[in-house]
């Protein structure tokens, strides 16, 4: 490393304040800098790889050439501070704050209910804000595009998009909003004719402050002077281990590159950054030629355009847009192909950071642009001290052949992209797990040139990405096809030859081998059709058009801006003005979420002497630890101690959960030890130096199948049975048997597991701040690990950034690890899991295998069902036994089957222990139910919906475990769903569409639901609250429930406001803590509002009862006066409220019980369109009807339903966990685990809350936190409906495995056709696959 005696000062601005960093370290990233150095904690850490958008900031730079200021979004987790010299950064704090003034973007996101847990909200604000700085009146499409790089796990995106759309000119969400009419009604009849009036306004637009672009902060004039300084010189920043050079002339850049040929050129840091962070690469020198005019330009000649290498992909898009608008279409076919991919490549943040030169030269094998550039005959212009030269951007270059490579001292200056000629066609094709912001599974760039006026091939090029370690060219195939006619025979040969030339080995990294082989030729076929179409347009007489049924295969699914209507019961006009119950009240922290002022665990300021914890996890699934050597790690810089099992004063194994592995490891990802150091970077570095030796133990059980083979279970079998199943099978017309696999799901809460453990100096006390759903559980585990009474362990929980079940049991184990470290070192411990560790260690939803045998009559009536369920529980008990009990109890869903047997068991495997997840087994198990009902329909030649109707509960009945219930609300939801969604008319329209389209199919499905909330154990339903009234009349409220984003605190304030008859503003709710409410149970099972609401109500009623005599004496008095008087009369103004809980029970011996307090009913109808050639699908419309009884807060309830639905849709379609055959989890971040983005949600999304009675619950409400999850399966079954239509047309059987998730791979491979028949298949016994399914 060059040593620089006198490094330069780094100067940039953050939120208008000048930052001068005298010793700028090139290894320091902006996210760390704003959070830890400047202490602006609004910008969040979500993934560290630029994939989630939680850390989005706005970067502004001045361009001295154009004299313009350029604002763009960037993910702070990838931006080195040294690249910011001369830039102005705006974080969420700089946009607006409660202290000063909130910005309209922040206000509208909050008031439109676009925030739940609030962790992604600052990033959302920054994406919309940056868009508004560039386009003060954006179009709806620009808003959808601007949000493409931001993930949200709570809301389902619709309200976020809606808040952005309020800035569009002439924006109204629904033309009829507020008119009481509904545009979904065929005759627009008003809903007033129903029993009660329905409302559709969840917020009041008149409250919004207007956006005034003239009020935005100015760009710092000092930075303009710096940029225009004619005497600029090279800058050098010197870090502890690295040097950063910033040349200001091309000559200087070339000299640096000659001196340091191995130094990477860093512009956007989107390639170098992740490889340093995730692959452990190290570079002593960085060269950053930011702002060099020679690299930032576009010039066009009559031959084509040349674009500077430093142009970002977003700037490239703008440049191409301009060229396309100026030039005739035939010249810009390459540009059109590039533009098409630039819309969905990564997200806007990455597109604004990544540069054309960096993209071209790093040659990722998944590159979307390079194959198109190669097909379009682009050239790369490079320069070095030796001179300039051109490199063809062709197969040799992309395949990294040595003769075509850049020399180490060379720099890419620009890329030249020629115009296309009249008879030259270029196209780009791709397919990814998700439409936007996802690497392609296979992508291609193809071009063909014909002899003038003919369809004889003169030149042909095909480049494929993601099929080999580099992009590959099918040059042999292309060569053989020159001179051939562009006809079906040529296509057949091309497909065969290209499959021979590009062999994907059976064990190839990334898996999906047969699917990728199929995609290669499916994309080739799409190109063939596109070219046939082009030829026909050139000369319709000479070249016949493609068949009409094939036309829809040409285009990818368009990205539409979602729209929708939310309908709920209006508040009774006679309700007192002040009573907030039933109103769509905004989340009590919403404004704090959008300004970044809501404090999460890792936002808490540093504590004196605090240490950071990094864990070392097992790399083997089942092995004996033969040695553990931590000496090298202890000697690393900054390390204070290494904590192992030997340091646990109390139990290291509590209730079957092991804190630190000691003698053996039982899964990959089990914690073996932890390093405590002065910085996280030091702790993480030292963790790499812990040496562990293993001896494998057989067997390592990974899948359910292996567990069944080895008889490996976590719990005894659970069973319920009614009627006489065996005899019923003898008296039916038909019997079918089948099995269904449902894979697991990662919680992907935006805030990873976070714990701050503070050891106290006296009495062995320990205080923990932790993001959890179950503080009592954390307290219990810490107490057990430290061997200290629980009364000395205090757990505080203010809020957490999403949980979904993943923070019920896991924080207890991690809390114990942190507490043991704090206890040993005597210093505070900050333990924040990185995303990849979080996904590895904490696991998720249980994968499930369901086997069924169903007996039914030819009219579709099901007489007998025998169902077995197995879940993959992982290596420790966790919640698996309870999950299997729930599965068995809920296994009938909405159907009354007179002879019904269900058995279930949790398997013990060597995977990290699976845990609670929203829906708790129901979303997996009920897929099996819907699958067998659909299979029966197929055998009876009926619609699945008809068979559902026949077998649905119709009158007050008993469940299979003998609990009585009335299904009237279920029938109502079902009937309204069919009617309001115009199901039968749309089903017919879909059939018409399917007749006319061979390669695209539409499908619809309606799914009913009978969901039970709560727990069959009565004491799990208890809750307590503590309410204090202070002498100024203000009220402090605490209870045992946790705020996870679901709005529990907001609803509790509504309850207290109604019960005490005071305004909401008088009531304050600060946090949940084991100090104020002891022994509180988990906030889960949709019970939060039910039980805590009753406890709060009880406390308020006790207080009001005490105040009654005073109020009676002075009925006209004010609240404050009554309170003061009560104090004078020595009346206690503090009360504990208590709710004993719903008295549920279940006797597994007798197989009966009142297992659940009540049911939530619902129905959803979804319509999808499927691309049979690629397996892509598009969700066109969803209608949800949910029985909410009486909604305490319709805005929060609809938010829960929509969020759960989108999460469920993710589970059933694109979310796919990949494991190696040895039990290693590959999917460990947003790059390789895809949750839905804004482009996946339904184009039309209608949610209606159906009114019913539920006297058992507070204010006759219902718990709606989880119910929406399973309704996402309507998308799964709509996909299967579309696939069935395709199979039927191809003469294939209607019944085929209906597993979940229905990924593009599953969809494509189920639509068997001539292309799937053509691919080579491998004998499974001859290789070990890269990944396996564990269900």
């Amino acid at each position: 490393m060059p040593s620089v005696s006198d490094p330069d000062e780094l100067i940039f601005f953050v939120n208008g304040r000048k930052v001068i960093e005298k010793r700028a370290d090139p290894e320091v990233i902006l996210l760390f800098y704003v959070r830890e150095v400047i202490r602006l904690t609004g910008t969040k850490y979500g993934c560290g790889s630029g994939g989630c958008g939680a850390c989005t900031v706005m970067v502004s730079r001045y361009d001295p050439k154009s004299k313009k200021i350029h604002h763009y979004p960037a993910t702070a987790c990838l931006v080195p501070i040294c690249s910011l010299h001369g830039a102005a950064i705006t974080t969420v704090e700089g946009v607006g704050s409660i202290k000063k003034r909130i910005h309209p973007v922040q206000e509208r996101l909050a008031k439109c209910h676009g925030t739940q847990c609030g962790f992604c909200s600052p990033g959302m604000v920054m994406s919309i804000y940056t868009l508004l700085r560039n386009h003060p009146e954006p179009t709806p499409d620009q808003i959808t595009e601007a949000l493409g790089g931001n993930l949200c796990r709570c809301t389902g995106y619709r309200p976020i998009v809606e808040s952005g759309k309020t800035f569009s000119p002439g924006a109204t969400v629904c033309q009829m909003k507020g008119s009481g009419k509904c545009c979904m009604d065929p005759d627009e009849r008003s809903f007033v004719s129903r029993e009660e009036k329905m409302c559709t306004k969840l917020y009041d637009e008149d409250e919004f402050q207007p956006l005034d672009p003239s009020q935005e902060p100015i760009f710092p004039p000092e930075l303009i002077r710096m940029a225009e300084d004619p005497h600029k010189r090279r800058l050098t920043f010197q870090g502890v281990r690295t040097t950063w050079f910033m040349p200001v002339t091309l000559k200087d850049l070339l000299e640096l590159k000659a001196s340091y040929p191995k130094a990477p050129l860093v512009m956007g840091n989107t390639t170098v950054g992740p490889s340093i962070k995730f692959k452990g690469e190290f570079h002593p020198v960085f060269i950053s030629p930011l702002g060099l005019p020679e690299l930032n330009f576009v010039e066009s000649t009559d031959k084509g355009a040349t674009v500077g290498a430093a142009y970002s992909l977003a700037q490239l898009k703008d440049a191409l847009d301009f060229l396309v608008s100026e030039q005739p279409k035939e010249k810009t076919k390459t540009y059109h192909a590039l533009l098409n991919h630039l819309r969905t490549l990564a997200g806007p943040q990455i597109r604004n950071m990544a540069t054309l030169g960096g993209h071209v030269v790093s040659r990722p094998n998944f590159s979307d642009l390079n194959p198109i550039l190669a097909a379009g005959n682009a050239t790369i212009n490079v320069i070095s001290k030796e001179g300039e030269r051109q490199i063809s951007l062709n197969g040799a270059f992309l395949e990294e052949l040595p003769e075509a490579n850049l020399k180490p001292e060379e720099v890419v200056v620009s890329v030249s992209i020629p115009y296309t000629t009249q008879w030259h066609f270029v196209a780009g094709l791709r397919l990814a797990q998700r439409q936007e912001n996802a690497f392609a599974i296979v992508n291609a760039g193809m071009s063909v040139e014909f002899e003038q006026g003919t369809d004889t091939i003169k030149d042909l090029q095909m480049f494929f990405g993601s099929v080999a370690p580099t992009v590959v060219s099918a040059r042999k195939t292309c060569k053989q096809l020159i001179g051939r006619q562009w006809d079906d025979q040529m296509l057949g040969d091309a497909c065969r030859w290209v499959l021979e030339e590009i062999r994907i080995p059976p064990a190839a990294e990334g898996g999906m081998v047969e699917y990728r082989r199929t995609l290669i030729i499916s994309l080739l076929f799409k190109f063939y059709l596109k070219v046939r179409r082009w030829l026909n347009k050139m000369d319709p007489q000479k070249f016949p058009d493609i068949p009409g049924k094939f036309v829809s295969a040409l285009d990818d699914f368009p990205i539409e801006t979602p729209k929708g209507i939310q309908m709920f019961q209006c508040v009774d006009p006679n309700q007192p003005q002040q009573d907030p119950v039933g109103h769509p009240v905004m989340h009590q922290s919403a404004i704090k979420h959008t300004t970044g002022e809501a404090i999460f665990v890792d936002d808490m300021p540093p504590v004196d002497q605090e240490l950071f914890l990094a864990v070392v996890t097992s790399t083997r699934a089942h092995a004996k630890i033969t040695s553990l050597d931590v000496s090298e790690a202890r000697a690393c810089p900054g390390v204070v101690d290494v904590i192992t099992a030997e340091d646990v004063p109390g139990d290291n194994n509590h209730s079957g959960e092991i804190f630190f592995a000691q003698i053996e490891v039982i899964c990959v990802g089990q914690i073996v030890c932890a390093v405590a150091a002065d910085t996280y970077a030091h702790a993480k570095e030292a963790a790499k130096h812990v040496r562990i030796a293993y001896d494998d133990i057989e067997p390592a059980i990974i899948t359910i199948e292996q567990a069944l083979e080895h008889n490996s279970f976590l719990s005894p079998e659970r069973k319920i049975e009614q009627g006489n199943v065996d005899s019923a099978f003898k008296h039916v017309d038909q019997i079918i048997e089948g099995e269904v696999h449902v894979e697991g799901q990662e919680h992907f809460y935006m805030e990873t597991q976070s714990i701050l453990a503070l050891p106290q100096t006296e009495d062995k006390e320990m205080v923990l701040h932790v993001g959890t759903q179950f503080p009592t559980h954390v307290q219990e585990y810490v107490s057990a690990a430290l061997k200290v009474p629980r009364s000395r362990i205090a757990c505080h929980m203010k809020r957490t950034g999403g949980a979904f079940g993943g923070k019920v049991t896991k924080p207890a184990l991690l809390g114990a690890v942190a507490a043991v470290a704090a206890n040993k070192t005597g210093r505070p411990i900050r333990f924040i899991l990185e995303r990849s560790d979080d996904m590895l260690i904490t696991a998720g939803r249980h994968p499930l295998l369901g086997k069924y045998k169903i007996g039914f009559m030819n009219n579709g009536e099901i007489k007998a069902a025998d169902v077995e369920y197995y879940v993959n529980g992982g290596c420790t008990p966790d919640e698996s036994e309870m999950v299997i009990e729930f599965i068995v109890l809920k296994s009938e869903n909405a159907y009354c089957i007179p002879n019904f047997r269900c058995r279930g068991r949790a398997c013990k495997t060597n995977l990290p222990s699976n845990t609670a997840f929203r829906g708790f087994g129901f979303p997996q198990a009920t897929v099996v139910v819907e699958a067998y009902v659909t299979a029966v329909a197929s055998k009876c030649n009926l619609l699945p919906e008809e068979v559902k109707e026949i077998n649905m509960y119709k009158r007050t009945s008993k469940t299979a475990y003998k609990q009585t219930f009335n299904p009237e609300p279920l029938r109502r939801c079902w009937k309204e769903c069919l009617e309001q969604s115009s199901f039968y008319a749309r089903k017919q329209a879909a059939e018409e569409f399917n007749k006319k389209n061979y390669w695209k199919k539409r499908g619809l499905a309606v799914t009913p639901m009978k969901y039970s909330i709560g727990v069959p154990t009565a004491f799990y339903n208890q809750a307590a609250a503590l309410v204090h009234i202070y002498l100024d009349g203000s009220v402090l409220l605490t209870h045992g429930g946790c705020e996870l984003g679901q709005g529990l605190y907001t609803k509790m304030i509504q309850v207290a406001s109604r019960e005490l008859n005071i305004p909401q503003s008088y009531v304050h709710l600060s946090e949940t803590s084991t100090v104020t409410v002891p022994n509180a149970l988990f906030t889960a099972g949709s019970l939060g509002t039910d039980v805590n609401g009753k406890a709060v109500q009880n406390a308020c009623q006790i207080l009001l009862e005490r105040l009654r005599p005073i109020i009676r004496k002075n009925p006209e008095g004010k609240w404050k006066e009554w309170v003061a008087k009560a104090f004078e009369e020595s009346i206690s103004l503090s009360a504990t409220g208590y709710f004993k809980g719903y008295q549920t029970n279940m006797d597994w011996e007798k197989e009966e019980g009142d297992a659940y307090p009540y049911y939530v009913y619902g129905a959803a109808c979804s319509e999808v369109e499927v691309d049979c050639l690629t397996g892509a699908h598009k969700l066109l419309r969803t209608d949800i009807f949910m029985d909410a009884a009486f909604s305490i807060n319709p805005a929060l309830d609809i938010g829960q339903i929509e969020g759960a639905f989108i999460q469920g849709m993710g589970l059933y379609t694109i979310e796919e966990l990949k494991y190696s055959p040895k039990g290693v989890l590959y999917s460990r971040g947003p790059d390789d685990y895809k949750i839905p983005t804004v482009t996946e949600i339904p184009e039309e999304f209608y949610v209606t809350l159906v009114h019913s009675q539920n006297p058992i619950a507070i204010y006759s409400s219902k718990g709606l936190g989880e119910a929406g999850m399973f309704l996402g399966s309507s998308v799964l079954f709509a996909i299967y409906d579309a696939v069935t239509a395709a199979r039927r047309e191809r003469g294939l059987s209607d019944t085929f495995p209906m597993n979940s998730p229905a990924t593009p791979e599953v969809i494509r491979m189920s639509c068997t056709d001539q292309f799937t028949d053509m691919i080579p298949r491998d004998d499974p016994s001859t290789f070990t696959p890269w990944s396996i399914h564990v269900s």
Side-chain angles (χ1 to χ4, degrees), residues 995-1016:
K995 274 184 206 148
K996 293 183 186 141
N997 294 281
Y998 188 80
W999 297 110
K1000 287 226 171 102
K1001 296 292 176 197
R1002 286 190 177 168
L1004 282 93
V1006 185
T1007 306
M1009 175 188 68
K1010 168 169 87 39
Y1011 184 74
S1012 53
I1013 78 134
V1015 193

Side-chain angles (χ1 to χ4, degrees), residues 95-107:
V95 173
S97 66
I98 295 169
K99 289 191 190 83
K100 293 187 180 144
R101 180 184 78 96
I102 62 168
H103 190 276
V105 173
Q106 296 166 322
E107 177 196 34

Side-chain angles (χ1 to χ4, degrees), residues 1315-1326:
F1315 301 112
T1316 52
D1317 291 344
M1318 205 183 271
I1319 61 161
R1321 311 257 173 176
D1322 301 285
D1323 172 358
S1325 64
T1326 58

Side-chain angles (χ1 to χ4, degrees), residues 79-129:
V79 178
I81 54 167
C82 292
S83 69
L84 294 173
H85 187 75
I89 303 298
T90 307
T91 69
V92 68
E93 290 90 349
V95 173
S97 66
I98 295 169
K99 289 191 190 83
K100 293 187 180 144
R101 180 184 78 96
I102 62 168
H103 190 276
V105 173
Q106 296 166 322
E107 177 196 34
R108 295 185 197 188
L109 183 62
K111 287 184 176 169
C112 292
H113 314 288
T115 162
Q116 287 183 20
C117 81
F119 201 79
C120 74
S121 306
M124 296 288 176
V125 165
M126 293 315 299
S127 286
I128 301 173
Y129 175 75

Side-chain angles (χ1 to χ4, degrees), residues 177-233:
K177 267 241 155 124
S179 65
K181 291 181 179 175
C182 172
C183 55
M184 290 164 62
D185 270 16
D187 56 356
E188 289 181 4
R189 65 173 185 273
S190 167
F191 267 110
V192 183
S193 58
R194 298 230 194 135
E195 310 87 272
E196 67 266 328
K197 194 161 179 287
M198 296 297 274
C199 284
T200 57
K201 273 179 90 95
L202 287 170
Y203 52 88
D204 184 3
E205 285 150 0
D206 302 338
E207 281 183 18
F208 297 161
Q209 48 172 343
L211 175 72
D212 181 356
S214 68
Q215 293 303 298
E216 299 297 357
I218 61 159
F219 186 78
E222 182 181 343
L223 295 182
I224 298 180
R225 289 196 296 276
M226 273 169 63
E228 292 189 327
D229 175 9
H231 308 298
K232 274 194 287 212
R233 56 176 185 82

Side-chain angles (χ1 to χ4, degrees), residues 497-524:
W497 294 342
V498 86
L499 284 171
E500 281 166 26
E501 186 171 356
I502 299 175
R503 289 306 293 256
I504 306 176
E509 191 180 328
M512 301 189 280
V513 171
E514 292 185 355
Y515 174 45
R516 288 195 280 168
R517 290 170 182 166
T518 307
L519 273 180
I520 291 174
I521 51 177
S522 299
L523 296 180
L524 172 54

